[in-house]
């Protein structure tokens, strides 16, 4: 299977990544830590707060392909609904903000 990730795809992710990067004030250390507290592993925010990671690991307009075909039903629907990839990206960014995710992998 060919990897469809491209430089253009990466550019679409920049606004999403900027949201998460802007959540850490410049005066704070920008690194999360992992600590074991009372036998439980936690992510600790740069501000020292215990954090649970809630996020997604793949955001794209292609979706999955139907096995043994070249058909991408999600992509077809996205193009029909939004017309362009940038229009889809604006809507998707709004959706991710409403979900209040705290990371994107």
């Amino acid at each position: 299977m060919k990897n469809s990730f491209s430089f253009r795809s990466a550019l679409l992710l920049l606004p999403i990544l900027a949201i998460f990067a802007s959540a850490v004030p410049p005066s704070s250390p920008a690194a999360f830590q992992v600590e074991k507290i009372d036998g439980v592993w936690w992510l600790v925010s740069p501000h020292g707060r215990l954090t649970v990671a809630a996020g997604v690991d793949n955001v794209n307009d292609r979706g999955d392909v139907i096995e043994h075909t070249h058909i991408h039903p999600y992509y077809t629907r996205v193009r029909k609904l939004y017309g362009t990839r940038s229009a889809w990206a604006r809507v998707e960014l709004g959706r991710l903000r409403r979900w209040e995710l705290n990371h994107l992998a």
Side-chain angles (χ1 to χ4, degrees), residues 73-88:
Y74 182 74
Y75 176 77
T76 303
R77 187 71 176 149
V78 162
R79 284 298 177 262
K80 186 175 182 179
L81 286 172
Y82 304 109
T84 66
R85 187 177 224 187
S86 60
W88 167 84

Side-chain angles (χ1 to χ4, degrees), residues 6 68 72 84 96:
S6 67
H68 306 296
H72 294 263
T84 66
L96 292 170

Side-chain angles (χ1 to χ4, degrees), residues 7 55 65 72 89:
F7 181 72
V65 65
H72 294 263

